[in-house]
Amino acid sequence: MSLNAVERRLLDIRDAWTSFTGDPGKRLLVWEMPSSSYRLAECFFEAQKFEVEYATQDLCIVFKEPFEHSIQYARALKQVLAGSYATSRADIESEGIPADWSLPPDEFPDSAYGFVQAVRSFGSRHHQHFNHLAAILMPTEVSDEAAFAGWLARALAAKLPERLRIVVLDPAEAPRLASLSGDGDPRVRHEHLALDVLAVAQETFAQERVAGPAGAFRNMLMALVSLVEKGRVEEVRSKAADAYAFAGSQGWSDQQAAVAILVAGAQLKEQRHDEAIATYRIADDAAKRAAEAGNPAGRQLAIQAKLGEAGAHLGAARPADAAHSYDDAAELALAIPDLIIAVEALRMAAFCRARMEDRDGAIVRGRQALQIGNRLRPEVRNITSLPIAASDLMNVLDPQRAERIKALRGDAEKQSASLLAETETRIAGLERTTGRDAFDAVERDLAVADVAIWREAEGLLQDVVAGGGADFQQDFDTARALLGFAWPLGAGAAEAFALTVDAPGASS
């Protein structure tokens, strides 16, 4: 039976993996790849549990916990290791293997060394059932790249045995472990893994044939998407013409809109603003036809086309035309309603009005964005563009005062980062310390000092706001009520005040 596109990539990953594990001098693998390819790599790690062609008889344990600071990270990894083993006991015993390993919370320190010892403890109990044991680190967030690299260096210094390996995935679009890979340590292997998920999708669709027009168009569209990523505009337009005409022959106006939006995006990449505008208008016409025919995708595609047109106008230094297009997009979004897109469209309309020195127009749209933001669920607001819209409104109302607020945030972030760096230095001296007291003291000191930084920043912020005009104060209070302490000082402030009951301004 022939392998599919995903399985062929998993074989490629296996070859790279066995090259690493086959080198007895290596302990740490930094695998640099596009973050869009992470899922493929994770599939490979998970597949090691099964009898498949790309299995290696190695045991890979994936850890996705975020890195906040070194103590938290080590503790979280140990908890996941113990927890995943506990939930797998029945499966282990079903294979006739005694599931009698355990990891008491305080058996090893909350450090990189402690985590390595915990993994070694597990490995020593079950070593006869695998070739290599690998800890795969895929943190969802990293608060400080230098601190994370330092944690990895200390893990490497814990003298891993040959059969124990650590693997870290590093995003190719924003590598964060160059310092670790570039120090010439012979135990570290840095490798760029070229995994093109778009090519995988294209090959999959080509291999899994769908009969009829839908299958033919799907292949056309995938080829077009691939060409947009790598080809020139002329090539994209030629390929798109066939797909657009085919979709039209089938009465698929929504797909015609999608094709036109792809072409316009390729034109924008080459700074062909007027061509992109014309193409976005073609997409808009097709989207309207789809909406009139009762296709629910039509209205969303019309919004995309209008936002694209606005962006092209802005790229061509025509803020007035862009403002009108953003207004149109906001109106379309509110009609659905798509409140998140409406907020973004109004934010950009306000931005364009400010560029035109239309202060009143910018204020009106900024306030509209806040009003719509009030209709969003509280937990959603801070992950939309609403915080930026609020800050932009403050900047229009009083540019100097808004700049002072921005500087306050920057200063507090620098102080918080410096505090974390000092704390990480202190943590590095605790690698083999037994008992929790020393680690708890460091975490307590970090929390207290960080809260003090943000409390001071909040106090200064309130002074700045109090000195502003009535409109400035009123709109600030509206935005703060919507966004909480995460605005305008950022997530650091929100996290710090979450630790205190008597945070400044909490009663307002």
Side-chain angles (χ1 to χ4, degrees), residues 136 195 294 319 426-427 492:
I136 314 298
L195 294 174
R426 186 177 168 190
I427 291 171

Side-chain angles (χ1 to χ4, degrees), residues 291-411:
E292 289 167 359
N295 189 327
R299 293 197 292 177
Q300 287 286 357
L301 288 164
I303 295 172
Q304 290 184 43
K306 194 58 69 175
L307 288 173
E309 180 182 338
H313 279 305
L314 196 56
R318 293 193 288 264
D321 292 332
H324 289 304
S325 294
Y326 282 123
D327 283 340
D328 291 343
E331 185 177 345
L332 290 169
L334 285 172
I336 290 179
D338 187 329
L339 302 183
I340 292 175
I341 294 297
V343 167
E344 171 60 10
L346 285 167
R347 178 187 78 83
M348 288 303 301
F351 173 81
C352 293
R353 295 285 173 179
R355 286 272 295 268
M356 298 158 55
E357 299 185 358
D358 177 6
R359 184 175 184 272
D360 290 342
I363 291 172
V364 166
R365 286 159 180 80
R367 287 173 176 165
Q368 285 179 325
L370 293 185
Q371 290 168 4
I372 294 168
N374 190 45
R375 296 163 60 185
L376 292 169
R377 297 195 310 275
E379 66 270 19
V380 170
R381 294 168 187 165
N382 278 292
I383 57 175
T384 69
S385 57
L386 186 61
I388 304 174
S391 295
D392 287 349
L393 176 58
M394 297 297 104
N395 191 58
V396 173
L397 290 167
D398 191 333
Q400 289 76 27
R401 203 163 295 278
E403 190 61 31
R404 289 173 62 187
I405 292 175
K406 183 179 178 181
L408 278 176
R409 174 174 176 167
D411 289 344

